[in-house]
Amino acid sequence: MSTGTPHAGTGTPHAGTGASPAGARTPHAAGPAVAGGPVTGPVVVASDLDRTLIYSGAALALTMPDADAPRLLCVEVHERKPLSYMTETAAGLLARLTEDTVFVPTTTRTRKQYQRINLPGAPAAYAICANGGHLLVDGVTDHDWHTSVTARLADECAPLAEIRAHLTATADPAWLRKERIAEDLFAYLVVERQLLPDGWVKELAGWAGERGWSVSLQGRKIYVVPKPLTKSAAVHEVVRRTGARLTLAAGDSLLDADLLLAADEGWQPGHGELADAGWTAPHIEALPHRGVLAGEEILRRAGVRAARAAV
């Protein structure tokens, strides 16, 4: 069980929310408006990718009879093999959403991992990678943003080398499959989950929390991430640059909690770390849908909400 899990029903995570940059928009606040005139600016839709919009074969959750299964579109190939999918209906919904909103892929993936995804629709003008460590503008890293992030991590958190040394010393080769560093920002382990000892993740989270880091257990991966390294901070920057009047968000894991809390409205699927913890927030709808159909439903509702905002 992962500590660092949000308090069920409070909408407040134990860890990983981090303060937003100075001047960032307060959650749920109205967007910019012309004095005496209507609210202006686009709708921003910031969504997590893996197990929110796109799904590996193991995560599809196709529980219906084979003849009733949805048609799938492969959106990621890795080492010449199909890796991630969405339904064809979801692909059409996303394509329309990219025309009507500022759609912002928001992921813990590294830039290299993100760039092998081929999402339907117009190319994203903004994308957030490495859990907020990199802001891509028209596919190119914004180096000023990255420099500001790394400076804050150096000021507020124990160094990555200390975290990595602890992971190397305490992880058991019997269940550890891979140990990785992502963008020189955070660490993660790939494990055999059924062999993971009870209490190990909880102990790690306690140790890491004292050093300014949070822990998230997602499937076979254990992420150890600096608390100030958040998706929400990067989304606030996109909102500032675009002058968005409404921010919508979606996500399924502990590392998405701050993103959801920073949005005006949003959705979480019926699976994932947040659903397992019973996490809720008043402005976030917990959907009953699980697996790839959850991704389709999130896009459907985001499109409807964006259209309503345009009226």
Side-chain angles (χ1 to χ4, degrees), residues 180-233:
R180 293 288 186 268
I181 298 300
E183 301 271 20
D184 291 324
L185 290 169
F186 62 90
Y188 66 93
L189 307 179
V190 181
V191 303
E192 291 293 343
R193 182 138 177 191
Q194 66 273 20
L195 300 179
L196 193 63
D198 292 340
W200 190 86
V201 174
K202 182 178 181 179
E203 183 178 342
L204 172 64
W207 179 88
E210 295 173 354
R211 290 159 177 81
W213 292 64
S214 60
V215 173
S216 176
L217 175 61
Q218 302 179 37
R220 297 176 60 234
K221 292 183 178 179
I222 301 171
Y223 292 91
V224 189
V225 179
K227 292 180 182 180
L229 185 67
T230 64
K231 295 178 178 180
S232 63

Coordinates of all heavy atoms in Angstrom, one line a residue, residues 180-233:
R180 N 15.3 3.4 -12.5 CA 15.5 4.4 -13.5 C 15.5 5.8 -12.9 O 14.8 6.1 -11.9 CB 14.4 4.3 -14.6 CG 14.4 3.0 -15.4 CD 15.6 3.0 -16.4 NE 15.6 1.9 -17.3 CZ 16.2 0.7 -17.0 NH1 16.9 0.6 -15.9 NH2 16.1 -0.2 -17.9
I181 N 16.2 6.7 -13.6 CA 16.2 8.1 -13.3 C 15.5 8.8 -14.5 O 15.9 8.6 -15.6 CB 17.6 8.7 -13.1 CG1 18.2 8.0 -11.9 CG2 17.5 10.2 -12.9 CD1 17.5 8.2 -10.6
A182 N 14.6 9.7 -14.2 CA 13.8 10.4 -15.3 C 14.2 11.8 -15.4 O 14.0 12.6 -14.4 CB 12.3 10.3 -15.0
E183 N 14.9 12.2 -16.5 CA 15.2 13.6 -16.8 C 16.1 14.2 -15.7 O 16.0 15.5 -15.5 CB 13.9 14.4 -17.0 CG 13.0 13.9 -18.1 CD 13.4 14.5 -19.5 OE1 14.5 15.0 -19.6 OE2 12.5 14.4 -20.4
D184 N 16.8 13.4 -14.9 CA 17.6 13.9 -13.8 C 16.7 14.7 -12.8 O 17.2 15.6 -12.1 CB 18.7 14.8 -14.3 CG 19.8 14.0 -15.0 OD1 20.1 12.9 -14.6 OD2 20.4 14.6 -16.0
L185 N 15.4 14.3 -12.7 CA 14.5 15.0 -11.8 C 13.9 14.1 -10.7 O 13.7 14.6 -9.6 CB 13.3 15.6 -12.7 CG 13.7 16.8 -13.6 CD1 12.5 17.1 -14.5 CD2 14.0 18.0 -12.8
F186 N 13.6 12.9 -11.1 CA 13.1 12.0 -10.1 C 13.4 10.5 -10.5 O 14.0 10.3 -11.5 CB 11.5 12.1 -10.0 CG 10.8 11.8 -11.3 CD1 10.3 10.6 -11.6 CD2 10.5 12.8 -12.2 CE1 9.6 10.3 -12.7 CE2 9.8 12.6 -13.4 CZ 9.4 11.3 -13.6
A187 N 13.1 9.6 -9.5 CA 13.4 8.2 -9.7 C 12.2 7.3 -9.7 O 11.1 7.7 -9.2 CB 14.3 7.8 -8.6
Y188 N 12.3 6.2 -10.4 CA 11.2 5.2 -10.3 C 11.8 3.8 -10.4 O 12.8 3.6 -11.0 CB 10.1 5.5 -11.3 CG 10.5 5.3 -12.8 CD1 10.3 4.1 -13.4 CD2 11.0 6.3 -13.5 CE1 10.6 3.9 -14.7 CE2 11.3 6.2 -14.8 CZ 11.1 4.9 -15.5 OH 11.4 4.8 -16.8
L189 N 11.0 2.9 -9.8 CA 11.4 1.5 -9.8 C 10.3 0.7 -10.6 O 9.1 1.0 -10.5 CB 11.5 0.9 -8.4 CG 12.4 1.6 -7.4 CD1 12.3 0.9 -6.1 CD2 13.8 1.7 -7.9
V190 N 10.7 -0.3 -11.3 CA 9.8 -1.2 -11.9 C 9.9 -2.5 -11.1 O 11.0 -3.1 -11.0 CB 10.0 -1.5 -13.4 CG1 9.0 -2.5 -14.0 CG2 10.0 -0.2 -14.2
V191 N 8.8 -3.0 -10.5 CA 8.8 -4.1 -9.6 C 7.9 -5.2 -10.0 O 6.9 -5.0 -10.8 CB 8.5 -3.6 -8.2 CG1 9.4 -2.5 -7.7 CG2 7.0 -3.2 -8.1
E192 N 8.1 -6.4 -9.4 CA 7.1 -7.5 -9.4 C 6.2 -7.2 -8.2 O 6.5 -7.5 -7.1 CB 7.8 -8.8 -9.3 CG 8.6 -9.2 -10.5 CD 7.8 -9.4 -11.8 OE1 6.5 -9.6 -11.6 OE2 8.3 -9.4 -12.9
R193 N 5.0 -6.7 -8.5 CA 4.2 -6.2 -7.4 C 3.7 -7.3 -6.5 O 3.7 -7.0 -5.3 CB 2.9 -5.5 -8.0 CG 2.0 -4.9 -7.0 CD 1.5 -3.6 -7.4 NE 0.6 -3.0 -6.4 CZ -0.1 -2.0 -6.6 NH1 -0.1 -1.3 -7.7 NH2 -0.9 -1.5 -5.6
Q194 N 3.5 -8.5 -7.0 CA 3.0 -9.5 -6.1 C 4.1 -10.0 -5.1 O 3.8 -10.6 -4.1 CB 2.5 -10.7 -6.9 CG 3.6 -11.5 -7.7 CD 3.8 -10.9 -9.1 OE1 3.5 -9.7 -9.3 NE2 4.4 -11.7 -10.0
L195 N 5.4 -9.7 -5.4 CA 6.5 -10.0 -4.5 C 6.9 -8.9 -3.6 O 7.7 -9.1 -2.7 CB 7.7 -10.5 -5.4 CG 7.5 -11.7 -6.3 CD1 8.8 -12.0 -7.0 CD2 7.0 -12.9 -5.5
L196 N 6.3 -7.7 -3.8 CA 6.7 -6.5 -3.0 C 6.2 -6.7 -1.6 O 5.1 -7.0 -1.3 CB 6.0 -5.3 -3.6 CG 6.4 -3.9 -3.1 CD1 7.9 -3.7 -3.5 CD2 5.5 -2.9 -3.7
P197 N 7.2 -6.6 -0.6 CA 6.8 -6.9 0.8 C 5.8 -5.9 1.3 O 5.8 -4.7 1.0 CB 8.1 -6.7 1.5 CG 9.2 -6.9 0.5 CD 8.6 -6.3 -0.8
D198 N 4.9 -6.3 2.2 CA 3.9 -5.4 2.8 C 4.7 -4.4 3.6 O 5.6 -4.7 4.4 CB 3.0 -6.2 3.7 CG 2.0 -7.1 3.0 OD1 1.8 -6.8 1.7 OD2 1.5 -8.0 3.6
G199 N 4.3 -3.2 3.5 CA 4.9 -2.1 4.3 C 6.2 -1.5 3.7 O 6.6 -0.4 4.2
W200 N 6.7 -2.1 2.6 CA 8.0 -1.5 2.1 C 7.7 -0.1 1.5 O 8.5 0.9 1.8 CB 8.6 -2.4 1.0 CG 10.0 -2.0 0.6 CD1 11.1 -2.3 1.2 CD2 10.3 -1.1 -0.5 NE1 12.2 -1.7 0.6 CE2 11.7 -0.9 -0.5 CE3 9.6 -0.4 -1.4 CZ2 12.4 -0.1 -1.4 CZ3 10.2 0.4 -2.4 CH2 11.6 0.5 -2.3
V201 N 6.7 0.1 0.8 CA 6.3 1.4 0.1 C 6.0 2.4 1.2 O 6.4 3.6 1.2 CB 5.2 1.2 -0.9 CG1 4.8 2.6 -1.4 CG2 5.6 0.3 -2.0
K202 N 5.3 2.0 2.3 CA 4.9 2.9 3.4 C 6.2 3.3 4.1 O 6.3 4.6 4.4 CB 4.0 2.1 4.4 CG 3.6 3.0 5.5 CD 2.7 2.3 6.4 CE 2.2 3.1 7.6 NZ 1.3 2.4 8.5
E203 N 7.1 2.4 4.3 CA 8.4 2.8 4.9 C 9.2 3.8 4.1 O 9.7 4.8 4.5 CB 9.2 1.6 5.2 CG 10.5 1.9 6.0 CD 11.3 0.6 6.3 OE1 10.7 -0.5 6.3 OE2 12.5 0.7 6.5
L204 N 9.2 3.5 2.7 CA 9.9 4.4 1.8 C 9.3 5.8 1.8 O 10.0 6.8 1.8 CB 9.9 3.8 0.4 CG 10.4 4.7 -0.7 CD1 11.9 5.0 -0.5 CD2 10.1 4.1 -2.1
A205 N 8.0 5.8 1.8 CA 7.3 7.1 1.8 C 7.6 8.0 3.0 O 7.7 9.2 2.9 CB 5.8 6.9 1.6
G206 N 7.6 7.3 4.2 CA 8.0 8.0 5.4 C 9.4 8.6 5.3 O 9.6 9.8 5.7
W207 N 10.3 7.8 4.9 CA 11.7 8.2 4.7 C 11.8 9.4 3.7 O 12.4 10.4 4.0 CB 12.6 7.1 4.3 CG 14.0 7.4 4.1 CD1 15.0 7.4 5.1 CD2 14.7 7.9 2.9 NE1 16.2 7.8 4.5 CE2 16.0 8.1 3.2 CE3 14.2 8.1 1.6 CZ2 16.9 8.5 2.2 CZ3 15.1 8.5 0.7 CH2 16.5 8.7 0.9
A208 N 11.2 9.2 2.6 CA 11.2 10.2 1.5 C 10.6 11.5 1.9 O 11.0 12.6 1.6 CB 10.6 9.7 0.2
G209 N 9.4 11.4 2.6 CA 8.7 12.6 3.0 C 9.5 13.5 3.9 O 9.3 14.8 3.8
E210 N 10.3 13.0 4.8 CA 11.2 13.8 5.6 C 12.2 14.6 4.8 O 12.8 15.5 5.3 CB 11.9 12.9 6.6 CG 11.0 12.2 7.6 CD 11.7 11.2 8.5 OE1 12.9 11.0 8.3 OE2 11.0 10.7 9.4
R211 N 12.4 14.2 3.6 CA 13.4 14.8 2.7 C 12.8 15.6 1.6 O 13.5 16.0 0.6 CB 14.4 13.7 2.2 CG 15.2 13.2 3.3 CD 15.8 11.8 3.0 NE 16.7 11.3 4.0 CZ 16.3 10.8 5.2 NH1 14.9 10.6 5.4 NH2 17.1 10.4 6.1
G212 N 11.5 15.8 1.7 CA 10.8 16.7 0.7 C 10.4 16.0 -0.6 O 10.1 16.6 -1.6
W213 N 10.3 14.6 -0.5 CA 9.9 13.8 -1.7 C 8.6 13.1 -1.4 O 8.3 12.8 -0.2 CB 11.0 12.8 -2.0 CG 12.3 13.5 -2.6 CD1 13.1 14.3 -1.9 CD2 12.8 13.3 -3.9 NE1 14.1 14.7 -2.7 CE2 14.0 14.1 -3.9 CE3 12.4 12.6 -5.0 CZ2 14.7 14.2 -5.1 CZ3 13.2 12.7 -6.1 CH2 14.3 13.4 -6.2
S214 N 7.9 12.7 -2.4 CA 6.6 11.9 -2.2 C 6.8 10.6 -3.0 O 7.6 10.5 -3.9 CB 5.4 12.7 -2.7 OG 5.5 13.1 -4.1
V215 N 5.9 9.7 -2.7 CA 6.0 8.3 -3.3 C 4.6 8.0 -3.8 O 3.6 8.3 -3.2 CB 6.4 7.3 -2.2 CG1 6.3 5.9 -2.8 CG2 7.8 7.6 -1.7
S216 N 4.6 7.4 -5.0 CA 3.3 7.0 -5.7 C 3.5 5.6 -6.3 O 4.5 5.4 -7.0 CB 3.0 8.0 -6.8 OG 1.8 7.5 -7.5
L217 N 2.6 4.7 -5.9 CA 2.7 3.3 -6.4 C 1.6 3.2 -7.5 O 0.4 3.3 -7.3 CB 2.4 2.3 -5.3 CG 2.3 0.8 -5.7 CD1 3.6 0.3 -6.3 CD2 1.9 0.0 -4.5
Q218 N 2.0 2.9 -8.8 CA 1.1 2.9 -9.9 C 1.4 1.6 -10.7 O 2.4 1.5 -11.4 CB 1.3 4.1 -10.8 CG 1.0 5.4 -10.1 CD 1.2 6.6 -11.0 OE1 0.9 6.6 -12.2 NE2 1.8 7.7 -10.5
G219 N 0.6 0.6 -10.6 CA 0.8 -0.6 -11.2 C 2.1 -1.3 -10.8 O 2.3 -1.6 -9.6
R220 N 3.0 -1.5 -11.7 CA 4.3 -2.1 -11.4 C 5.4 -1.0 -11.1 O 6.6 -1.4 -11.0 CB 4.7 -3.0 -12.5 CG 3.8 -4.2 -12.7 CD 4.2 -5.0 -13.9 NE 5.5 -5.6 -13.8 CZ 6.5 -5.4 -14.7 NH1 6.3 -4.7 -15.8 NH2 7.7 -6.0 -14.4
K221 N 5.0 0.2 -11.1 CA 6.0 1.3 -10.9 C 5.9 2.0 -9.6 O 4.7 2.3 -9.2 CB 5.9 2.3 -12.1 CG 6.4 1.7 -13.4 CD 6.3 2.8 -14.5 CE 6.8 2.2 -15.8 NZ 6.8 3.2 -16.9
I222 N 7.0 2.3 -8.9 CA 7.0 3.1 -7.7 C 7.8 4.3 -8.1 O 9.0 4.3 -8.4 CB 7.7 2.3 -6.6 CG1 7.0 1.0 -6.3 CG2 7.8 3.2 -5.3 CD1 7.8 0.1 -5.3
Y223 N 7.1 5.5 -8.0 CA 7.7 6.8 -8.3 C 8.1 7.5 -7.0 O 7.3 7.5 -6.1 CB 6.7 7.7 -9.1 CG 6.3 7.2 -10.5 CD1 5.3 6.4 -10.7 CD2 7.1 7.6 -11.5 CE1 5.0 6.0 -12.0 CE2 6.8 7.2 -12.8 CZ 5.7 6.4 -13.1 OH 5.4 6.0 -14.3
V224 N 9.3 8.1 -7.1 CA 9.7 8.9 -5.9 C 10.0 10.3 -6.5 O 11.0 10.4 -7.3 CB 11.0 8.3 -5.3 CG1 11.3 9.0 -4.0 CG2 10.7 6.8 -4.9
V225 N 9.2 11.2 -6.2 CA 9.2 12.5 -6.9 C 9.3 13.7 -5.9 O 8.7 13.6 -4.8 CB 7.9 12.7 -7.7 CG1 7.8 14.0 -8.4 CG2 7.7 11.5 -8.7
P226 N 10.1 14.7 -6.2 CA 10.1 15.9 -5.3 C 8.8 16.5 -5.1 O 8.0 16.6 -6.1 CB 11.1 16.8 -6.0 CG 11.9 16.0 -6.9 CD 11.0 14.9 -7.4
K227 N 8.4 16.9 -3.9 CA 7.1 17.4 -3.7 C 6.8 18.7 -4.5 O 5.7 18.9 -5.0 CB 6.9 17.7 -2.2 CG 6.8 16.5 -1.3 CD 6.6 16.8 0.1 CE 6.6 15.5 1.0 NZ 6.4 15.9 2.4
P228 N 7.8 19.6 -4.7 CA 7.5 20.8 -5.5 C 7.4 20.5 -7.0 O 7.0 21.4 -7.8 CB 8.7 21.7 -5.2 CG 9.3 21.2 -4.0 CD 9.1 19.7 -4.1
L229 N 7.7 19.3 -7.5 CA 7.7 19.0 -8.9 C 6.2 18.5 -9.2 O 5.9 17.4 -9.0 CB 8.7 17.9 -9.2 CG 8.8 17.5 -10.7 CD1 9.4 18.7 -11.5 CD2 9.6 16.3 -10.9
T230 N 5.4 19.4 -9.7 CA 4.0 19.2 -9.8 C 3.5 19.5 -11.2 O 4.0 20.5 -11.9 CB 3.1 19.9 -8.8 OG1 3.3 21.4 -9.1 CG2 3.6 19.6 -7.4
K231 N 2.5 18.8 -11.7 CA 1.8 19.1 -12.9 C 1.1 20.4 -12.8 O 1.0 21.2 -13.8 CB 0.8 18.0 -13.3 CG 1.5 16.6 -13.6 CD 0.5 15.6 -13.9 CE 1.2 14.2 -14.3 NZ 0.2 13.2 -14.6
S232 N 0.5 20.7 -11.6 CA -0.3 21.9 -11.5 C 0.5 23.2 -11.7 O -0.1 24.1 -12.3 CB -1.0 21.9 -10.1 OG 0.0 22.0 -9.1
A233 N 1.7 23.2 -11.2 CA 2.5 24.4 -11.4 C 2.7 24.7 -12.9 O 2.6 25.9 -13.3 CB 3.9 24.3 -10.7

